[in-house]
Amino acid sequence: MSTGTSIRLRPYEVALLRGGPRAAVTVAVVALHLRGDVEAGRPGRLRTSEASSEAAGQAPPPQTSPPSQAPPAPPAPPAPASSPDPASSPAPLPPLAEAVRAALARPAGLPQVRDHADVRAALAELQAGLRAAGLLRAFPPHRTRTARRALDALSAEHPLPTSRKGLPESDALMAVALYGEPALHVLVPRFALRAGLITRAEVAEGKGFHSRSPRGGGTGGTAYSCGGGGGGSD
C-alpha cells in the first residue's frame, strides 16, 4: 500500500476494508488454494495439501537394492553448487497468507482459522497500516471517505469477471477482495462451496436458483460500516 496522491491497495487490504476480517482471510485462503497449498477437506473445513497426502497414507515406495554382482563403482565427484533460479521458486507469501497456512497445521473451518492467534496478529497489522494511511477509523471501525473512493476506483478498474479462464492470479484475488461471494461463484465455485466459503444454493420452485447469504457482506462476518450519515470523515 502506498500513500500520497494515489493509493494502491493490495487484495488483502481491499478485502479488509470492504468486508472485514473474514473477507481478508477468505482472500488468503483462495491465494493458498491457487498456489496448490490448501484444499477443501470435509464439508466446511480446510486443510493443507501436505495434510491430505499424509491422511491418505501416501509414502514413497521402499528402496530395494539390486543383487550385488560386482563391487560398486566409486562415487562421482559432487557437482558444483548452483544458485537457485529466482523464476522457478515460488514468491514469498504475504504475512496474512503465511499465518493462515500456519493455522491449518490441522484441518479447520474458516471461523477457527480467523480466530487463530497468528491470523489475528496479521489482521491487526493490516488494520494498523490502514489506519495509518487514513483509510480506517478505529472506534467504531469504519471506512473513511478516502477508502470508499479508493474502493470505487478499484471496482471500476476491476469489474466482476465472468470466467476464470485466462485471468491472472493477481486479478482473481482482487476480484475476490472486491466482490466476495459473487467472485467465488465464478472463480472457485467447487472449492468455495466445499470449504464453507460460500453458502449452498437452493432451488425455489418457479424462481430458479438463489442462495442464503450471511448478513453483513458476501463473505459473512462483520463488515466495516461506511461511517455516519454525512458520508464519514477522512
Side-chain angles (χ1 to χ4, degrees), residues 29-38 49 90-94 97 101 169:
V29 167
V30 173
L32 292 168
H33 175 66
L34 295 179
R35 288 169 56 108
D37 293 341
V38 166
S49 301
L93 288 171
R101 186 168 65 175
E169 181 179 325

Side-chain angles (χ1 to χ4, degrees), residues 41-114:
R42 290 184 298 172
R45 295 178 74 81
L46 298 153
R47 64 185 180 186
T48 60
S49 301
E50 293 85 352
S52 63
S53 297
E54 292 173 3
Q58 297 178 1
Q63 298 290 332
T64 57
S65 55
S68 58
Q69 297 179 354
S82 59
S83 57
D85 182 7
S88 61
S89 58
L93 288 171
L96 180 57
E98 191 66 63
V100 167
R101 186 168 65 175
L104 288 171
R106 293 183 177 182
L110 192 65
Q112 290 74 38
V113 172
R114 183 188 56 197

